[in-house]
């Protein structure tokens, strides 16, 4: 049976990009195998973050998972920090990734480029080591992520090859699984850059007021011309809106194009806005009911207990392989 694992870092308000690239996508996996979805709260410490902000964000993400339709009966939900085997495995695995390769990680380069080079935290540099531990600790073979995380899954694969070459078939080879539609949702105000938690302009946040969401979509940057066709080089704005539409409707881009063959930009944007507002409106209603109950705590208690059991088995196997046991 497939083992599926993924997570989200609680470092800011989640966006429509996270919803399409992760939340909505995770739900489609929970029936196809044993699914583990977690909050990467240890990873959140790799850049400065206020304790209260981290706490609130972490709880929110669990509520988002539930509001997006993840069913705790089918899918194990937990916080990375509360399953101590993540940290233990990372300490072992750090010996099998090299500083040269960590230095080439795009995310590390992006995040550290404007920092004082003498004050970059070791955790930020070693980010992929912990991420590899997250994945390998559950023998996951499928890792659903957006495009920006594929390099981290690749380096995990390199690690598995290196480790297994030395110790035999100990670690399971994971594979990134990327959405056909919606692997990289772009900013509405600048459709040549990714929509991200750290870039508030032009991004739709999941808890934005519905009127604000509508307004953001109606004022999304579009392109010259009048045709509604997918061409991400020459029409990045329209292509992004088509992607959002198709991903939420769960149809192909060409089916979405066909729906708007005679439409004008204004009508098309209105249809996208209607769809996003309907989807996020229902999502928000579920979120508010969950966040005001004790469901998050109950789900985490059960999920963390189960996660620890599985994780301990794999950690034990690794400890034996390297000679610690
Ligand atoms: P994070 O928190 O940055 O993002 C969570 C997920 O959302 C996807 N995503 C997007 N997808 C489409 N369009 C966008 N604009 C967009 N922005 C974000 C991301 O690709 C990701 O799938 N390092 C991870 C968390 C993590 C993890 C793991 C993931 C830690 N350990 C193990 C998988 C497996 C991260 O920071 O994701």
């Amino acid at each position: 049976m497939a083992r599926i694992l993924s997570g989200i870092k609680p470092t800011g308000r989640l966006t429509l990009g996270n919803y399409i690239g992760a939340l909505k996508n995770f739900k489609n996996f929970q029936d196809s195998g044993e699914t583990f979805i977690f909050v990467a709260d240890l990873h959140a410490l790799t850049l400065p973050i206020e304790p209260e902000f981290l706490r609130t964000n972490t709880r929110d993400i669990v509520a988002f998972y539930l509001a997006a339709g993840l069913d705790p009966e089918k899918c194990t939900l937990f916080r990375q920090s509360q399953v101590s085997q993540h940290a233990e495995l990372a300490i072992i695995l750090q010996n099998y990734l090299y500083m040269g390769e960590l230095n080439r990680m795009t995310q590390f380069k992006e995040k550290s480029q404007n920092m004082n080079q003498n004050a970059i935290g070791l955790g930020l540099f070693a980010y992929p080591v912990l991420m590899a531990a997250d994945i390998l600790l559950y023998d996951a073979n499928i890792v659903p992520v957006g495009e920006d995380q594929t390099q981290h899954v690749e380096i995990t694969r390199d690690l598995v090859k290196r480790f297994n070459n030395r110790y035999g078939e100990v670690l399971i080879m994971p594979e990134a699984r990327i959405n056909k539609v919606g692997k990289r949702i772009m900013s509405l105000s600048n459709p040549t850059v990714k929509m991200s938690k750290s870039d508030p302009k032009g991004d739709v946040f999941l808890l934005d007021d519905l009127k604000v969401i509508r307004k953001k979509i109606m004022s999304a940057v579009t392109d010259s011309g009048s045709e509604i066709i997918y061409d991400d080089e020459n029409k990045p704005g329209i292509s992004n809106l088509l992607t959002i539409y198709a991903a939420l409707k769960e149809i192909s881009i060409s089916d979405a194009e066909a729906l708007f063959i005679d439409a004008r930009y204004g009508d098309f944007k209105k249809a996208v806005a209607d769809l996003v507002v309907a989807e996020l409106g229902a999502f928000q209603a579920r979120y508010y009911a969950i966040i005001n109950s004790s469901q998050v705590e109950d789900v985490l208690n059960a999920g963390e207990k189960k996660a620890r059991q599985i994780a301990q088995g794999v950690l034990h196997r690794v400890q034996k392989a390297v000679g610690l046991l």
Side-chain angles (χ1 to χ4, degrees), residues 5-11 14-23 26 38-40 43 61 80 107 111 127 130-132 134-135 143-150 152-153 179 182-187 193-197:
L5 173 129
S6 197
I8 297 180
K9 198 165 49 176
T11 43
L14 294 202
T15 68
L16 184 60
N18 296 121
Y19 183 79
I20 291 174
L23 290 170
F26 294 165
F38 70 102
V39 185
H43 274 123
I61 291 183
Q80 179 189 39
Q107 184 175 296
K111 301 234 154 136
Y127 189 110
L130 181 57
M131 182 151 162
D134 300 337
I135 296 170
V143 185
V145 282
E147 195 172 50
D148 60 342
Q149 293 299 321
T150 50
H152 287 151
V153 181
N179 261 350
K183 58 181 190 269
R184 190 173 163 84
I185 301 297
M186 310 306 272
S187 158
V193 304
K194 188 186 79 167
M195 190 181 276
S196 94
K197 283 178 258 184

Side-chain angles (χ1 to χ4, degrees), residues 1-270:
M1 184 156 60
R3 271 276 174 87
I4 298 139
L5 173 129
S6 197
I8 297 180
K9 198 165 49 176
T11 43
R13 292 180 293 166
L14 294 202
T15 68
L16 184 60
N18 296 121
Y19 183 79
I20 291 174
L23 290 170
K24 192 174 164 72
N25 195 21
F26 294 165
K27 179 177 154 260
N28 296 330
F29 279 96
Q30 68 183 356
D31 292 316
S32 47
E34 228 182 318
T35 309
F36 294 82
I37 303 289
F38 70 102
V39 185
D41 54 354
L42 287 173
H43 274 123
L45 296 176
T46 58
L47 288 173
I49 185 164
E50 285 302 316
E52 203 43 51
F53 186 62
L54 173 56
R55 230 183 315 271
T56 311
N57 266 313
T58 299
R59 194 164 183 269
D60 268 354
I61 291 183
V62 181
F64 287 151
Y65 285 151
L66 297 168
L70 289 181
D71 175 356
E73 296 291 317
K74 297 182 187 166
C75 161
T76 307
L77 297 171
F78 61 97
R79 288 164 295 184
Q80 179 189 39
S81 67
Q82 300 309 304
V83 182
S84 58
Q85 288 85 355
H86 287 250
E88 292 180 70
L89 184 61
I91 290 283
I92 298 176
L93 296 183
Q94 66 185 356
N95 301 299
Y96 308 89
L97 279 178
Y98 303 145
M99 288 168 68
E101 52 195 357
L102 293 174
N103 221 359
R104 285 195 294 275
M105 291 285 108
T106 314
Q107 184 175 296
F108 175 69
K109 282 199 254 179
E110 276 171 12
K111 301 234 154 136
S112 63
Q113 67 183 358
N114 295 325
M115 291 168 73
N116 170 355
Q117 297 299 299
N118 290 318
I120 297 169
L122 181 57
L124 185 66
F125 187 62
Y127 189 110
V129 178
L130 181 57
M131 182 151 162
D134 300 337
I135 296 170
L136 300 174
L137 203 44
Y138 299 88
D139 287 338
N141 38 22
I142 296 174
V143 185
V145 282
E147 195 172 50
D148 60 342
Q149 293 299 321
T150 50
Q151 201 184 25
H152 287 151
V153 181
E154 276 311 309
I155 201 174
T156 304
R157 291 171 58 86
D158 294 342
L159 186 155
V160 170
K161 272 183 224 135
R162 194 170 293 152
F163 191 97
N164 285 355
N165 250 335
R166 172 125 183 233
Y167 300 106
E169 291 301 304
V170 178
L171 300 172
I172 301 293
M173 184 63 82
E175 199 182 294
R177 190 63 60 84
I178 295 148
N179 261 350
K180 264 202 212 85
V181 178
K183 58 181 190 269
R184 190 173 163 84
I185 301 297
M186 310 306 272
S187 158
L188 296 177
S189 60
N190 178 3
T192 60
V193 304
K194 188 186 79 167
M195 190 181 276
S196 94
K197 283 178 258 184
S198 50
D199 166 28
K201 237 178 100 243
D203 292 355
V204 171
F205 295 106
L206 298 184
L207 296 181
D208 272 348
D209 185 272
L210 296 177
K211 284 201 199 83
V212 173
I213 294 180
R214 179 175 294 282
K215 204 164 151 213
K216 283 183 179 172
I217 293 175
M218 291 310 288
S219 49
V221 168
T222 43
D223 320 287
S224 56
S226 59
E227 270 181 312
I228 295 162
I229 48 166
Y230 189 92
D231 173 354
D232 58 0
E233 215 161 276
N234 301 309
K235 291 170 91 73
I238 290 294
S239 301
N240 191 35
L241 291 173
L242 268 172
T243 304
I244 292 172
Y245 189 89
L248 291 183
K249 277 266 187 211
E250 302 190 36
I251 59 177
S252 67
I253 297 276
S254 51
D255 284 349
E257 283 174 331
L259 288 174
F260 296 104
I261 200 150
D262 294 321
R264 286 183 309 205
Y265 278 2
D267 303 323
F268 169 55
K269 277 179 161 180
K270 185 170 176 305

